[in-house]
Amino acid sequence: MKKNLLGISLLTISGLYFMLAAIIILIALLTDIPVLYGIVISIIILIVQFLISPWLTDLSMKWFYKAKFGYKLPDNINSFVEEVCKQNNMNFPKIGYIDDGAPNAFTYGRTKNDARVVVTRGIFELLNEDEIKAVIGHELGHAAHYDMLFMTVAQLVPLLLYGIYEICMDSEKSSSNNKNGDYTALIGIVAYVLYVISNYIILMLSRTREYYADSFSIEATKNPNSLASALVKIGYGLTTAPTNPKHSAARSNALGIFDAKTSKALIVSSQDDGQISKDNIKQAMKWEQWNVWAKWYEFNSTHPLISKRLLAISSRSRDFNQEPYITFDLKPTESYVDDFFVELLINVLPFLSFIIGIIVCAIVMANEGNFMVTAGIVLLIIILFSFIKFKRKYSSNPFKPSTVRDLLSEVKVSHITSIPCSLEGTIIGRGNPGCIFNEDFVIKDDSGIIFLDYNQPINIVNKIFALFKSPEYFEKRVKVNGWYRRSPVPYVELKTIEIDGQIKKVYTYKFILALYVIGVIIALGLLIAPFMI
């Protein structure tokens, strides 16, 4: 397994550096731009960053997440980690602990011998022992495979390609009479295209390494089904049981498993018997298997879709005398491709109308036409298309009482199409577990746990709320109204949250509506102004 991963990594990184070398050779042959100094400086900066980043991240964890290092894992978990480290000739990782009920685990560091593994209180309260071992085994896999080192080396390529693009564009502008000016601009464009391509190659490499970290955990625990159930609990939020009191003592003790790109961590707890309804899991998998947006989100993500990881893990179950954890045998009753293209059109129309509007206004000005009337009409068209998108995102349908399980089974939902819903449950932690500046929540009802997006129109208000008010909501029973979306993480953007009989409102919806009203007034003003002069 390690040899296969090493081969894939070396082949991918070699391809990336081949692209970089080709651009550098073109510059050397066709221009006189001194890019060598910039490349050397970038490499030095990246090396320094690589060397000091674990220390900086330690400080960030302590200051902003209130993480405590030197945490003593429960004996059975600690023995498991010691055995895995011994088998893989690596040092015991530095363990960090964040006192937050949202379960999360991640690793960082330079090599396998100075890795940090950070866990939250929620890991011990909401997962059983075998699942905890599987999650920590996944993180140890990242360290054992030198993922941090390989990804740093790979990420140097897009950094340098973008730097070359900027140098070429600046050089072309400042030396228009340079005989190599045409080559410089062309090389800059090629460098930018390769910069975009290299970023997607790195995302692909990252997703591949996630599969190998899962395989490492399976080999270490000899229990693929525990990793699968942990993925379902943390990734989908399916549960029918209260918080596990067995690990509540963890409260007093002084490269995540999912994509943290948007800081929307999904959480879950187990049923009393440790098993979750397979039908509920299949219902939750439908969106990833059928909705076209899921493929697009994965293409832009560091992590594979959870359903794909579940099926890959389940394919290993029989190797360890277990029945496959899950098989997805549901068939769609309709095509969702048409919905995707409708949503895609709704998403791009405001931008397209803006671009076309600029062109039309420029033509009118060039021909000495009535610019103000044209601008007013264009602005109304832009507002119309933008408002259509707004109404799709903030549906005006009633807020229907729902459960997490109900929401997860919805297929016709995305970052554009929302489902108004009402949930009742308990706030168990922050959306970004432990982060004192994160205003978002995680709510747990009788069927599962889901992320709540608290988003006031003025960002500083969100941060003040996070620092001084949000802790008052922890462990409290609440009722929320909002819009359920998926991108690909399931979440609910809040409109109201009721606690202790008081309703806290989020004003983003009304704020955007007010902006539309102002926009329409301006557009009408542009239309009638010429006739009032």
Side-chain angles (χ1 to χ4, degrees):
M1 181 180 69
K2 286 185 179 180
K3 290 183 178 179
N4 290 339
L5 179 59
L6 179 62
I8 293 171
S9 300
L10 290 178
L11 183 63
T12 304
I13 292 174
S14 297
L16 288 170
Y17 276 87
F18 177 80
M19 290 193 303
L20 177 63
I23 289 293
I24 294 173
I25 291 171
L26 282 176
I27 292 174
L29 292 176
L30 302 177
T31 76
D32 52 5
I33 300 175
V35 297
L36 182 60
Y37 296 113
I39 291 174
V40 171
I41 292 172
S42 297
I43 292 174
I44 292 173
I45 291 173
L46 193 70
I47 291 174
V48 172
Q49 178 184 336
F50 176 72
L51 293 175
I52 69 173
S53 62
W55 177 73
L56 292 176
T57 307
D58 286 346
L59 291 180
S60 174
M61 288 291 106
K62 293 175 182 177
W63 292 350
F64 304 130
Y65 291 78
K66 303 301 181 183
K68 297 179 181 179
F69 288 92
Y71 173 72
K72 181 66 166 63
L73 293 168
D75 290 341
N76 288 345
I77 307 297
N78 194 77
S79 297
F80 166 75
V81 175
E82 287 180 341
E83 181 62 25
V84 172
C85 290
K86 181 180 179 181
Q87 291 175 357
N88 290 273
N89 193 29
M90 56 189 288
N91 294 339
F92 194 95
K94 186 177 181 181
I95 304 295
Y97 174 79
I98 297 174
D99 187 16
D100 192 290
N104 197 15
F106 55 92
T107 185
Y108 62 94
R110 288 178 291 267
T111 69
K112 68 178 184 180
N113 289 321
D114 72 341
R116 282 83 158 159
V117 174
V118 180
V119 294
T120 67
R121 166 167 48 89
I123 285 290
F124 301 100
E125 292 183 338
L126 303 175
L127 302 181
N128 64 40
E129 182 178 304
D130 288 337
E131 292 162 349
I132 295 169
K133 288 180 180 178
V135 169
I136 294 180
H138 174 94
E139 302 307 330
L140 293 175
H142 283 306
H145 295 157
Y146 288 92
D147 283 356
M148 295 161 282
L149 176 60
F150 276 105
M151 294 308 295
T152 299
V153 173
Q155 286 163 357
L156 176 61
V157 175
L159 173 67
L160 292 178
L161 286 171
Y162 189 80
I164 290 172
Y165 158 73
E166 288 194 324
I167 291 172
C168 288
M169 293 297 102
D170 290 342
S171 176
E172 196 273 336
K173 289 176 183 177
S174 61
S175 57
S176 57
N177 294 325
N178 189 324
K179 62 180 181 180
N180 295 321
D182 293 339
Y183 290 129
T184 301
L186 179 60
I187 292 173
I189 294 171
V190 173
Y192 186 81
V193 171
L194 293 180
Y195 157 75
V196 174
I197 293 173
S198 65
N199 271 313
Y200 281 105
I201 291 174
I202 288 172
L203 289 175
M204 181 181 66
L205 177 61
S206 177
R207 292 193 294 269
T208 299
R209 301 189 80 85
E210 288 299 325
Y211 283 119
Y212 276 91
D214 285 346
S215 292
F216 182 93
S217 176
I218 291 170
E219 296 293 340
T221 62
K222 306 293 188 294
N223 191 349
N225 287 0
S226 287
L227 178 60
S229 62
L231 281 172
V232 167
K233 292 177 179 182
I234 300 176
Y236 283 150
L238 294 173
T239 176
T240 61
T243 298
N244 186 352
K246 186 169 73 170
H247 297 294
S248 60
R251 288 177 177 269
S252 60
N253 294 324
L255 268 315
I257 195 164
F258 294 105
D259 187 358
K261 184 178 178 180
T262 57
S263 296
K264 291 176 171 63
L266 247 311
I267 333 307
V268 289
S269 64
S270 63
Q271 293 183 343
D272 292 327
D273 61 359
Q275 300 296 318
I276 298 174
S277 164
K278 296 302 167 67
D279 181 64
N280 288 343
I281 297 173
K282 292 178 184 180
Q283 292 296 316
M285 293 172 71
K286 288 193 306 186
W287 184 87
E288 292 184 348
Q289 291 291 308
W290 297 345
N291 193 302
V292 182
W293 280 112
K295 282 69 177 175
W296 172 251
Y297 294 138
E298 182 186 42
F299 185 63
N300 290 275
S301 174
T302 58
H303 286 59
L305 294 172
I306 297 169
S307 61
K308 288 188 176 181
R309 292 173 67 184
L310 284 174
L311 295 175
I313 293 167
S314 297
S315 69
R316 300 284 312 278
S317 296
R318 295 195 187 279
D319 296 342
F320 298 90
N321 298 317
Q322 294 180 336
E323 287 297 314
Y325 183 79
I326 194 72
T327 56
F328 187 77
D329 51 7
L330 303 181
K331 302 296 182 183
T333 57
E334 61 179 295
S335 171
Y336 298 97
V337 176
D338 52 343
D339 295 294
F340 170 75
F341 282 112
V342 169
E343 291 180 338
L344 186 63
L345 182 63
I346 291 173
N347 193 42
V348 301
L349 274 178
F351 176 74
L352 290 178
S353 61
F354 175 75
I355 298 298
I356 295 172
I358 291 177
I359 296 172
V360 170
C361 288
I363 293 173
V364 170
M365 287 182 66
N367 291 277
E368 299 182 354
N370 195 322
F371 172 76
M372 294 187 70
V373 172
T374 304
I377 294 172
V378 167
L379 182 56
L380 282 176
I381 293 173
I382 294 172
I383 290 173
L384 173 63
F385 288 136
S386 180
F387 189 73
I388 292 172
K389 179 179 177 180
F390 170 77
K391 292 303 293 181
R392 187 92 174 195
K393 188 174 182 180
Y394 293 93
S395 172
S396 56
N397 291 333
F399 294 99
K400 180 182 177 181
S402 305
T403 66
V404 173
R405 181 175 56 242
D406 295 335
L407 296 176
L408 289 174
S409 67
E410 297 285 351
V411 180
K412 293 186 176 184
V413 63
S414 66
H415 67 291
I416 298 170
T417 300
S418 68
I419 298 176
C421 65
S422 178
L423 293 171
E424 291 190 48
T426 302
I427 300 296
I428 66 169
R430 296 184 187 267
N432 187 4
C435 180
I436 61 174
F437 294 113
N438 184 256
E439 66 277 6
D440 304 315
F441 296 116
V442 171
I443 186 174
K444 179 181 183 298
D445 69 6
D446 291 336
S447 70
I449 299 175
I450 198 167
F451 174 87
L452 300 179
D453 183 14
Y454 180 94
N455 182 32
Q456 297 286 11
I458 302 175
N459 193 47
I460 187 65
V461 175
N462 292 328
K463 301 312 170 188
I464 292 173
F465 178 82
L467 285 169
F468 302 109
K469 296 296 293 182
S470 63
E472 299 176 6
Y473 289 71
F474 298 161
E475 309 301 331
K476 292 289 187 69
R477 189 80 180 175
V478 300
K479 179 179 180 180
V480 303
N481 289 331
W483 295 272
Y484 170 66
R485 303 193 193 98
R486 200 156 177 173
S487 63
V489 175
Y491 71 98
V492 174
E493 180 177 344
L494 291 173
K495 185 178 183 182
T496 63
I497 179 168
E498 182 179 344
I499 178 173
D500 296 332
Q502 296 182 331
I503 297 177
K504 174 72 174 179
K505 296 181 179 180
V506 178
Y507 294 97
T508 300
Y509 175 80
K510 291 183 177 179
F511 179 79
I512 298 175
L513 276 180
L515 291 180
Y516 280 119
V517 172
I518 294 171
V520 170
I521 292 173
I522 293 173
L524 293 176
L526 290 171
L527 285 173
I528 66 176
F531 304 102
M532 299 181 65
I533 298 175

